[in-house]
Amino acid sequence: MSVSILDNIKGRFGFGCMRLPMQGEEVDIEETKRMVDAFMASGLNYFDTAHVYLSGRSELAVKECLTSRYPRESYVLADKLTSELFSKEEDILPLFEKQLKCCGVDYFDVYLMHAVDRHIYPQYENTRAFEILSDLKQQGKIRRMGLSYHDSGEFLDKILTEHPEIDVVQIQFNYVDYEDATVQSRLVYETCEKHGKPIIVMEPVKGGGLVKLPEEAQKIFDDLNARTGHTYSNAAYALRFAGSFPQIAMVLSGMGSKEQMLDNLSAMQPVQPLDEAEKEAIQQVTEVFRGLHLIPCTACHYCTDGCPMQIQIPDLFAVLNAKNVFHDGIANYYYENSLTVGGHGKASDCIECGHCEGICPQHLPVIELLKQVSEVFDKKA
Ligand code: SF4
Ligand code: SF4
């Protein structure tokens, strides 16, 4: 039996609204409505958004596609307090009210302090965010309060010891990060378990990085499917990995199409835990990844809004990964004709202002990594 966050949550698989289908710069509302309908029809009801997702468009799409079309008690909605959007205590309540309005609701089921790590934690402490969220919970405007978290198990232990009022923790958890020295998925999981906190999983497919696998890793899953007669996709194995742990109450997936959603649902509604042979295959795939030393960017895009050179940082990392893993010749084409045009800077245009590094939840040395991108793709320039 897994733990539970709220009685009215159905299932253990949630709709992450950070990578909704797009038409140009705007959310594809009709496709999103179809996805919401398919999700609800499957018997699930957990939705996760944030004001910063899709530069404000995610919350508005949630209103248009979900909250204006379904009764309030039929779905569970999670939103977040993001540190970049407030600097002092007085800013928090107006921001919260604005978020309720954007989403078209008068309470959030789950409300999380966003992307907490050792650098941002003092901001939440100094602005009395913990007390303010506790008050909102007393008033019924929040039903559960929590953290979305990106740091070590040890630091989380300190936070949960100082703030036992935290109800739930959202963590990055996937098979590649499970023993990763920086992300520490296992240690963070064990810390939540020690404090008895239910866990919400984000990035179970590592921002899509566990969908298209290197040839050697793909062969491991292909051989497994051939032996067992199953047809699980790579994403399905990654989601089922997260769903196999008892302290995990909810696994979120940021789905960008109905097709992707149906694939995810086939593995997660209901959750189908991994058997021993599947666990062994995942271990082997993890070893393949370890040998590749890829840039562990999850494509969350938190860094891009404030980049003065409008460098499409995660996309540049993705092309470098693609080139290194798949020896992908088309990567050069994308770099030159798609990713660095229309006002978007090349990797070599970085002025080293440091904005991106201050905000990256993966703590990536973006400036140094962009130099590597530049080395490979800007050579001819
Ligand atoms: S350090 Fe470079 S990539 Fe990062 S925000 Fe500044 S200009 Fe953009
Ligand atoms: S570099 Fe960091 S902040 Fe930017 S998209 Fe990647 S993981 Fe997110």
Side-chain angles (χ1 to χ4, degrees):
M1 267 305 277
S2 60
V3 295
S4 150
I5 306 166
L6 279 167
D7 288 346
N8 60 331
I9 292 178
K10 296 183 188 168
R12 292 173 62 217
F13 182 57
F15 190 159
C17 299
M18 76 187 302
R19 297 188 179 92
L20 295 172
M22 304 296 285
Q23 277 184 329
E25 296 284 301
E26 299 301 324
V27 174
D28 182 341
I29 293 294
E30 292 313 310
E31 175 73 348
T32 305
K33 282 182 183 169
R34 284 190 283 275
M35 291 169 71
V36 166
D37 292 345
F39 192 75
M40 294 289 277
S42 77
L44 296 167
N45 68 347
Y46 190 97
F47 294 82
D48 171 88
T49 187
H51 196 63
V52 288
Y53 289 172
L54 304 172
S55 306
R57 295 179 184 88
S58 172
E59 285 181 340
L60 296 174
V62 163
K63 179 177 181 180
E64 195 166 351
C65 302
L66 174 70
T67 68
S68 62
R69 299 171 65 235
Y70 285 89
R72 181 65 186 93
E73 65 280 6
S74 66
Y75 58 84
V76 173
L77 183 59
D79 207 322
K80 305 183 191 76
L81 174 65
T82 303
S83 60
E84 304 134 62
L85 302 180
F86 69 97
S87 56
K88 50 190 191 306
E89 183 181 337
E90 301 77 56
D91 298 337
I92 295 178
L93 285 178
L95 173 61
F96 178 80
E97 294 297 334
K98 182 178 173 190
Q99 290 180 273
L100 288 176
K101 200 167 168 213
C102 287
C103 290
V105 294
D106 52 17
Y107 68 92
F108 289 121
D109 300 274
V110 177
Y111 196 65
L112 307 172
M113 284 169 260
H114 199 176
V116 177
D117 64 15
R118 68 193 62 211
H119 306 294
I120 290 172
Y121 180 57
Q123 180 180 344
Y124 288 107
E125 286 270 74
N126 297 339
T127 55
R128 296 184 64 257
F130 288 87
E131 289 88 340
I132 293 170
L133 265 57
S134 293
D135 288 348
L136 288 169
K137 192 175 157 189
Q138 288 283 324
Q139 295 164 28
K141 291 188 163 186
I142 292 174
R143 297 183 64 205
R144 294 287 183 268
M145 63 181 275
L147 312 170
S148 82
Y149 184 74
H150 293 275
D151 209 318
S152 67
E154 194 184 355
F155 194 71
L156 181 61
D157 190 45
K158 168 184 152 66
I159 296 179
L160 294 179
T161 303
E162 290 174 0
H163 290 286
E165 71 273 28
I166 289 296
D167 296 310
V168 57
V169 185
Q170 184 160 311
I171 70 171
Q172 178 166 329
F173 190 93
N174 59 66
Y175 61 77
V176 168
D177 290 330
Y178 190 61
E179 294 291 357
D180 182 87
T182 308
V183 180
Q184 299 192 0
S185 288
R186 179 176 61 78
L187 293 173
V188 171
Y189 173 92
E190 287 170 0
T191 304
C192 293
E193 198 172 38
K194 172 183 155 190
H195 287 267
K197 306 297 179 191
I199 295 170
I200 303 167
V201 166
M202 57 186 156
E203 306 293 4
V205 193
K206 209 165 165 52
L210 305 182
V211 173
K212 190 178 180 208
L213 300 180
E215 203 176 321
E216 196 187 336
Q218 186 61 59
K219 186 170 179 332
I220 294 166
F221 282 147
D222 288 348
D223 288 350
L224 176 69
N225 280 344
R227 278 200 311 278
T228 59
H230 291 145
T231 54
Y232 288 120
S233 66
N234 297 337
Y237 279 117
L239 293 170
R240 292 175 59 220
F241 173 82
S244 297
F245 289 77
Q247 197 68 24
I248 290 177
M250 181 59 56
V251 179
L252 301 177
S253 177
M255 296 166 283
S257 69
K258 189 170 170 194
E259 186 192 9
Q260 205 179 0
M261 172 173 282
L262 294 177
D263 174 68
N264 286 188
L265 289 175
S266 70
M268 296 299 283
Q269 175 57 343
V271 176
Q272 293 159 49
L274 298 169
D275 64 25
E276 288 309 312
E278 290 170 328
K279 285 181 189 165
E280 173 59 30
I282 281 181
Q283 185 58 35
Q284 291 170 11
V285 169
T286 305
E287 295 301 328
V288 172
F289 269 98
R290 270 208 200 109
L292 292 171
H293 305 294
L294 299 178
I295 300 173
C297 168
T298 59
C300 67
H301 281 266
Y302 294 169
C303 56
T304 48
D305 267 356
C307 172
M309 306 311 290
Q310 294 193 47
I311 298 171
Q312 302 197 68
I313 300 163
D315 302 298
L316 301 198
F317 291 165
V319 286
L320 184 61
N321 280 345
K323 186 145 176 123
N324 287 339
V325 179
F326 304 111
H327 311 292
D328 193 347
I330 201 116
N332 290 65
Y333 177 85
Y334 278 122
Y335 183 82
E336 282 163 26
N337 297 297
S338 171
L339 300 176
T340 57
V341 295
H344 293 295
K346 291 176 180 288
S348 56
D349 291 329
C350 171
I351 56 168
E352 305 190 13
C353 69
H355 164 82
C356 50
E357 294 193 357
I359 215 164
C360 175
Q362 308 301 319
H363 310 299
L364 296 182
V366 177
I367 296 169
E368 185 53 41
L369 292 169
L370 283 176
K371 286 182 185 160
Q372 293 177 25
V373 174
S374 181
E375 207 31 44
V376 173
F377 292 102
D378 288 332
K379 269 188 309 211
K380 285 171 279 170

